[in-house]
Amino acid sequence: MNTPDQRDSFSAVAPVGFAVAASALLTVLVHATPLMDVAYRRPALHVATETAAALISLLAAQLVHDRFRQRLQSRDLLLTAALATFAATNLCFSAVPAIADDQSGPFGTWTRIAGQLLGSLLFAAAALAPDRELRRPDLDLRRMLAGCAAALALAAALIALAGDALPAAIGTGRPAREVDDLDIRSDASIVAAQATLMVVMVVAAAGFTRLALRGDAFSGWLAAGAAFGAFARLNYVVFASQYSEYFHAGDILRLGFVLALAVGAALELRRTRELLAAAAIEQERRSLARDLHDGVAQDLAYIVQQGRRLLRDPAAAPALRSIVAAAERALDESRHVVATLARPGGESLGPALTRTAQETVGREGGRLQLEIDEEVTVPSEVQEAVLRVVREALINARRHGMAETLAVTLRSKPLRVTVHDDGKGFDVAASRALAGHFGLNGMEARVHGIGGALAIESAHGSGTTVEIRLP
């Protein structure tokens, strides 16, 4: 059976498998069979694709920047710079010239290639970067973005100076009515550049897939995007539609690249919101726990302390014992609430049970023995009821049973929680029949409320065993 970590890994790499399979199938159908013909003379589609690529890359860069601000990892810094470079390249060298219908010539061709190469190298570097926290994240981010902007500006200046000395994107061509007769070939240097971009994207896909196998869903979508990008470059090598009026398979796969970024960015945004909400809830819980501990719990502790002192006086009123007992129950309840609020969110039953037993026995005294299955997970309402019953059983064992050794056991097959003590024991039936005795009945009501059963075995001089049986 797959573990939760394995299921998370499979889920994270699933987009990569889909991207590779879909890209390979489209490439084979278009170039190796007569079954599919996707060459359309649609310049407007190029404009839409470049504009979408610019906007999505910019949005993804902003979301990764937010992730960088949270984790301060060098990988996120490189990824932010890569996506920002893609956005700037698509906007300045592709989308705007396409809208202005002025993307022909060596300048438009080579500035796009230079920007895409820089962005792809940063993208691959982010996939391969080690887990390293930066000491000066703000300064490193400014330097990185400034360096990318300077590199793009320098490349544009050098390309402008070179002018017509650079080869054009399309070497030869003879347009025809039938798409099958098209012969759009790139210059050898353009082919080499596209092949280089393909190799870089393959490296990026492998690196992000490795991260996705650790359970990082965002890296899985980045790997899928890199896979789409690698196959897009392969198609550009065969059919240079990126530099023509035709929308072909390479353009479709490049659109897949930006769509994968969009989906990954949307999921990362949702994850970030959930983390921020959980952090806010956790902070509020801890604040309430501090206020309750420093206020109500301290006052109740004082009342219990003074009440116990007064009970030592033989002349104390009989009703005082009931008042002290009520104050003790209120103090116990307030301590349980404080412990619950201070407990980390999402904690499974095993660690929570260990923490509750250690805190209770540490305060009440005695020797604690634990046999806990750490992998047991139950719904939150079931866990809360179990912790309350175990806590009350431990308190009763010390205060009323005078137990010295207390053993808490959690087993998963079948799901059982047991508290056993070596105290003086008691008559279970007689205790249930006592008027105003709510302890045992309250414990049973809690367990029945979660669909379980409570079994209590005890006798005078033989200790007590409390077992919670859960379905």
Side-chain angles (χ1 to χ4, degrees):
M1 184 175 66
N2 295 328
T3 65
D5 289 342
Q6 289 175 325
R7 289 194 294 269
D8 290 343
S9 298
F10 293 152
S11 176
V13 298
V16 188
F18 171 79
V20 172
S23 300
L25 179 62
L26 179 62
T27 301
V28 171
L29 289 176
V30 170
H31 297 290
T33 71
L35 299 176
M36 183 173 290
D37 186 357
V38 295
Y40 300 100
R41 194 167 186 173
R42 297 289 187 272
L45 285 178
H46 280 293
V47 176
T49 299
E50 300 300 339
T51 304
L55 295 177
I56 291 174
S57 298
L58 186 62
L59 173 62
Q62 178 60 52
L63 293 175
V64 175
H65 171 262
D66 293 341
R67 172 165 150 153
F68 168 67
R69 299 299 304 171
Q70 295 175 17
R71 309 195 320 168
L72 306 180
Q73 293 286 321
S74 58
R75 176 182 299 115
D76 294 327
L77 172 63
L78 290 167
L79 187 55
T80 300
L83 295 173
T85 300
F86 283 141
T89 300
N90 290 327
L91 181 64
C92 299
F93 302 141
S94 295
V96 172
I99 293 172
D101 197 20
D102 183 21
Q103 55 181 340
S104 60
F107 180 81
T109 298
W110 286 98
T111 50
R112 270 185 284 175
I113 289 178
Q116 290 165 358
L117 181 59
L118 175 60
S120 298
L121 289 173
L122 290 169
F123 198 65
L128 302 177
D131 295 327
R132 182 171 65 89
E133 185 173 321
L134 300 176
R135 295 182 179 180
R136 297 180 296 178
D138 292 334
L139 179 61
D140 291 334
L141 179 63
R142 287 195 297 268
R143 286 178 175 175
M144 178 65 72
L145 294 179
C148 292
L152 290 176
L154 179 61
L158 293 176
I159 292 169
L161 289 175
D164 294 335
L166 295 171
I170 306 299
T172 61
R174 51 179 185 84
R177 289 185 179 181
E178 297 298 331
V179 173
D180 292 342
D181 294 334
L182 285 178
D183 183 16
I184 300 179
R185 301 172 186 161
S186 292
D187 183 86
S189 58
I190 302 293
V191 172
Q194 295 291 359
T196 301
L197 287 169
M198 180 184 68
V199 172
V200 173
M201 279 297 180
V202 169
V203 172
F208 283 121
T209 300
R210 175 179 60 87
L211 296 175
L213 287 172
R214 301 179 186 176
D216 185 0
F218 184 49
S219 292
W221 285 102
L222 294 176
F228 278 123
F231 276 96
R233 299 302 166 183
L234 175 61
N235 280 267
Y236 287 148
V237 168
V238 179
F239 188 93
S241 61
Q242 189 179 22
Y243 310 107
S244 72
E245 294 182 347
Y246 288 90
F247 195 84
H248 201 254
D251 303 300
I252 296 175
L253 294 174
R254 187 159 170 264
L255 186 59
F257 168 72
V258 296
L259 290 178
L261 288 182
V263 174
L267 295 176
E268 182 66 11
L269 176 60
R270 186 178 69 178
R271 187 192 71 86
T272 301
R273 287 179 174 174
E274 290 174 351
L275 289 176
L276 292 176
I281 293 173
E282 190 74 17
Q283 182 178 1
E284 185 65 21
R285 285 166 60 96
R286 293 184 180 277
S287 177
L288 288 172
R290 287 193 300 269
D291 292 343
L292 185 58
H293 178 271
D294 296 340
V296 175
Q298 295 292 351
D299 292 340
L300 287 171
Y302 175 78
I303 294 172
V304 170
Q305 181 183 18
Q306 296 301 314
R308 288 173 178 171
R309 183 181 62 82
L310 293 174
L311 283 176
R312 300 192 190 103
D313 185 354
L320 181 59
R321 187 173 301 277
S322 298
I323 296 174
V324 172
E328 287 177 339
R329 288 194 299 271
L331 179 59
D332 292 337
E333 182 65 21
S334 67
R335 284 171 172 168
H336 177 79
V337 173
V338 169
T340 301
L341 291 172
R343 192 164 56 240
E347 191 175 38
S348 62
L349 179 59
L353 187 58
T354 299
R355 185 194 302 270
T356 298
Q358 289 174 340
E359 289 175 350
T360 305
V361 175
R363 184 173 57 252
E364 299 292 331
R367 294 185 301 273
L368 177 63
Q369 297 176 351
L370 294 172
E371 186 180 344
I372 303 295
D373 185 346
E374 298 288 340
E375 301 300 323
V376 176
T377 301
V378 296
S380 58
E381 63 273 11
V382 174
Q383 179 167 307
E384 176 64 18
V386 169
L387 295 181
R388 284 179 176 270
V389 171
V390 168
R391 188 172 177 278
E392 186 166 354
L394 292 172
I395 291 174
N396 290 339
R398 281 293 297 165
R399 293 182 184 175
H400 307 301
M402 307 302 174
E404 291 296 328
T405 302
L406 304 101
V408 179
T409 303
L410 169 61
R411 294 188 176 90
S412 58
K413 295 179 181 180
L415 187 51
R416 298 287 185 268
V417 181
T418 305
V419 178
H420 177 74
D421 66 74
D422 61 354
K424 62 184 183 180
F426 66 100
D427 187 330
V428 178
S431 295
R432 283 198 176 103
L434 287 176
H437 192 88
F438 302 108
L440 298 183
N441 295 331
M443 293 166 67
E444 284 188 332
R446 288 190 187 279
V447 175
H448 291 161
I450 58 175
L454 183 70
I456 302 176
E457 297 180 1
S458 184
H460 290 292
S462 61
T464 302
T465 299
V466 177
E467 184 179 62
I468 305 171
R469 301 169 183 171
L470 298 174

PDB file of all heavy atoms in Angstrom, residues 319-333:
ATOM      1  N   ALA A 319     -19.909  22.362  53.059  1.00  0.00           N
ATOM      2  CA  ALA A 319     -20.122  22.791  51.666  1.00  0.00           C
ATOM      3  C   ALA A 319     -18.828  23.245  51.011  1.00  0.00           C
ATOM      4  O   ALA A 319     -18.740  23.297  49.779  1.00  0.00           O
ATOM      5  CB  ALA A 319     -21.148  23.930  51.633  1.00  0.00           C
ATOM      6  N   LEU A 320     -17.802  23.563  51.844  1.00  0.00           N
ATOM      7  CA  LEU A 320     -16.546  24.051  51.274  1.00  0.00           C
ATOM      8  C   LEU A 320     -15.882  22.980  50.406  1.00  0.00           C
ATOM      9  O   LEU A 320     -15.269  23.295  49.389  1.00  0.00           O
ATOM     10  CB  LEU A 320     -15.598  24.485  52.394  1.00  0.00           C
ATOM     11  CG  LEU A 320     -14.254  25.052  51.956  1.00  0.00           C
ATOM     12  CD1 LEU A 320     -14.440  26.267  51.070  1.00  0.00           C
ATOM     13  CD2 LEU A 320     -13.397  25.408  53.183  1.00  0.00           C
ATOM     14  N   ARG A 321     -16.042  21.708  50.817  1.00  0.00           N
ATOM     15  CA  ARG A 321     -15.421  20.640  50.029  1.00  0.00           C
ATOM     16  C   ARG A 321     -16.008  20.595  48.608  1.00  0.00           C
ATOM     17  O   ARG A 321     -15.281  20.390  47.636  1.00  0.00           O
ATOM     18  CB  ARG A 321     -15.624  19.304  50.728  1.00  0.00           C
ATOM     19  CG  ARG A 321     -14.867  18.144  50.091  1.00  0.00           C
ATOM     20  CD  ARG A 321     -14.969  16.891  50.942  1.00  0.00           C
ATOM     21  NE  ARG A 321     -14.428  17.120  52.285  1.00  0.00           N
ATOM     22  CZ  ARG A 321     -13.130  17.055  52.580  1.00  0.00           C
ATOM     23  NH1 ARG A 321     -12.247  16.773  51.625  1.00  0.00           N
ATOM     24  NH2 ARG A 321     -12.720  17.262  53.825  1.00  0.00           N
ATOM     25  N   SER A 322     -17.304  20.773  48.482  1.00  0.00           N
ATOM     26  CA  SER A 322     -17.929  20.784  47.155  1.00  0.00           C
ATOM     27  C   SER A 322     -17.469  21.978  46.337  1.00  0.00           C
ATOM     28  O   SER A 322     -17.250  21.878  45.116  1.00  0.00           O
ATOM     29  CB  SER A 322     -19.457  20.814  47.298  1.00  0.00           C
ATOM     30  OG  SER A 322     -19.921  19.660  47.973  1.00  0.00           O
ATOM     31  N   ILE A 323     -17.282  23.117  47.027  1.00  0.00           N
ATOM     32  CA  ILE A 323     -16.808  24.313  46.312  1.00  0.00           C
ATOM     33  C   ILE A 323     -15.394  24.108  45.789  1.00  0.00           C
ATOM     34  O   ILE A 323     -15.076  24.443  44.649  1.00  0.00           O
ATOM     35  CB  ILE A 323     -16.888  25.542  47.233  1.00  0.00           C
ATOM     36  CG1 ILE A 323     -18.344  25.842  47.596  1.00  0.00           C
ATOM     37  CG2 ILE A 323     -16.221  26.749  46.576  1.00  0.00           C
ATOM     38  CD1 ILE A 323     -18.509  26.951  48.612  1.00  0.00           C
ATOM     39  N   VAL A 324     -14.533  23.526  46.640  1.00  0.00           N
ATOM     40  CA  VAL A 324     -13.158  23.268  46.217  1.00  0.00           C
ATOM     41  C   VAL A 324     -13.132  22.258  45.074  1.00  0.00           C
ATOM     42  O   VAL A 324     -12.363  22.419  44.097  1.00  0.00           O
ATOM     43  CB  VAL A 324     -12.312  22.772  47.408  1.00  0.00           C
ATOM     44  CG1 VAL A 324     -10.929  22.323  46.938  1.00  0.00           C
ATOM     45  CG2 VAL A 324     -12.177  23.865  48.456  1.00  0.00           C
ATOM     46  N   ALA A 325     -13.969  21.232  45.141  1.00  0.00           N
ATOM     47  CA  ALA A 325     -14.014  20.240  44.075  1.00  0.00           C
ATOM     48  C   ALA A 325     -14.447  20.873  42.756  1.00  0.00           C
ATOM     49  O   ALA A 325     -13.903  20.566  41.683  1.00  0.00           O
ATOM     50  CB  ALA A 325     -14.953  19.097  44.448  1.00  0.00           C
ATOM     51  N   ALA A 326     -15.436  21.775  42.823  1.00  0.00           N
ATOM     52  CA  ALA A 326     -15.882  22.460  41.606  1.00  0.00           C
ATOM     53  C   ALA A 326     -14.773  23.348  41.046  1.00  0.00           C
ATOM     54  O   ALA A 326     -14.565  23.412  39.830  1.00  0.00           O
ATOM     55  CB  ALA A 326     -17.128  23.294  41.915  1.00  0.00           C
ATOM     56  N   ALA A 327     -14.047  24.022  41.940  1.00  0.00           N
ATOM     57  CA  ALA A 327     -12.941  24.859  41.487  1.00  0.00           C
ATOM     58  C   ALA A 327     -11.837  24.014  40.859  1.00  0.00           C
ATOM     59  O   ALA A 327     -11.216  24.416  39.866  1.00  0.00           O
ATOM     60  CB  ALA A 327     -12.389  25.673  42.659  1.00  0.00           C
ATOM     61  N   GLU A 328     -11.583  22.833  41.421  1.00  0.00           N
ATOM     62  CA  GLU A 328     -10.569  21.932  40.848  1.00  0.00           C
ATOM     63  C   GLU A 328     -10.973  21.481  39.446  1.00  0.00           C
ATOM     64  O   GLU A 328     -10.135  21.436  38.531  1.00  0.00           O
ATOM     65  CB  GLU A 328     -10.377  20.723  41.759  1.00  0.00           C
ATOM     66  CG  GLU A 328      -9.631  21.036  43.047  1.00  0.00           C
ATOM     67  CD  GLU A 328      -9.530  19.820  43.950  1.00  0.00           C
ATOM     68  OE1 GLU A 328     -10.338  18.892  43.788  1.00  0.00           O
ATOM     69  OE2 GLU A 328      -8.644  19.817  44.824  1.00  0.00           O
ATOM     70  N   ARG A 329     -12.279  21.165  39.282  1.00  0.00           N
ATOM     71  CA  ARG A 329     -12.736  20.760  37.949  1.00  0.00           C
ATOM     72  C   ARG A 329     -12.612  21.908  36.955  1.00  0.00           C
ATOM     73  O   ARG A 329     -12.208  21.711  35.801  1.00  0.00           O
ATOM     74  CB  ARG A 329     -14.182  20.263  38.009  1.00  0.00           C
ATOM     75  CG  ARG A 329     -14.349  18.906  38.691  1.00  0.00           C
ATOM     76  CD  ARG A 329     -15.724  18.322  38.422  1.00  0.00           C
ATOM     77  NE  ARG A 329     -16.795  19.168  38.939  1.00  0.00           N
ATOM     78  CZ  ARG A 329     -17.295  19.092  40.162  1.00  0.00           C
ATOM     79  NH1 ARG A 329     -16.801  18.207  41.018  1.00  0.00           N
ATOM     80  NH2 ARG A 329     -18.275  19.879  40.545  1.00  0.00           N
ATOM     81  N   ALA A 330     -12.954  23.109  37.383  1.00  0.00           N
ATOM     82  CA  ALA A 330     -12.834  24.276  36.501  1.00  0.00           C
ATOM     83  C   ALA A 330     -11.372  24.536  36.145  1.00  0.00           C
ATOM     84  O   ALA A 330     -11.049  24.879  35.004  1.00  0.00           O
ATOM     85  CB  ALA A 330     -13.450  25.506  37.173  1.00  0.00           C
ATOM     86  N   LEU A 331     -10.475  24.363  37.124  1.00  0.00           N
ATOM     87  CA  LEU A 331      -9.042  24.553  36.856  1.00  0.00           C
ATOM     88  C   LEU A 331      -8.529  23.499  35.875  1.00  0.00           C
ATOM     89  O   LEU A 331      -7.767  23.819  34.950  1.00  0.00           O
ATOM     90  CB  LEU A 331      -8.258  24.494  38.170  1.00  0.00           C
ATOM     91  CG  LEU A 331      -6.733  24.642  38.049  1.00  0.00           C
ATOM     92  CD1 LEU A 331      -6.367  25.973  37.400  1.00  0.00           C
ATOM     93  CD2 LEU A 331      -6.081  24.505  39.417  1.00  0.00           C
ATOM     94  N   ASP A 332      -8.963  22.250  36.077  1.00  0.00           N
ATOM     95  CA  ASP A 332      -8.553  21.198  35.150  1.00  0.00           C
ATOM     96  C   ASP A 332      -9.041  21.486  33.736  1.00  0.00           C
ATOM     97  O   ASP A 332      -8.314  21.291  32.755  1.00  0.00           O
ATOM     98  CB  ASP A 332      -9.103  19.838  35.610  1.00  0.00           C
ATOM     99  CG  ASP A 332      -8.456  19.367  36.905  1.00  0.00           C
ATOM    100  OD1 ASP A 332      -7.338  19.824  37.202  1.00  0.00           O
ATOM    101  OD2 ASP A 332      -9.083  18.552  37.615  1.00  0.00           O
ATOM    102  N   GLU A 333     -10.284  21.949  33.634  1.00  0.00           N
ATOM    103  CA  GLU A 333     -10.837  22.250  32.314  1.00  0.00           C
ATOM    104  C   GLU A 333     -10.090  23.401  31.657  1.00  0.00           C
ATOM    105  O   GLU A 333      -9.787  23.361  30.459  1.00  0.00           O
ATOM    106  CB  GLU A 333     -12.324  22.598  32.454  1.00  0.00           C
ATOM    107  CG  GLU A 333     -13.020  22.887  31.135  1.00  0.00           C
ATOM    108  CD  GLU A 333     -13.088  21.681  30.221  1.00  0.00           C
ATOM    109  OE1 GLU A 333     -12.959  20.548  30.723  1.00  0.00           O
ATOM    110  OE2 GLU A 333     -13.249  21.868  29.011  1.00  0.00           O
TER     111      GLU A 333
END
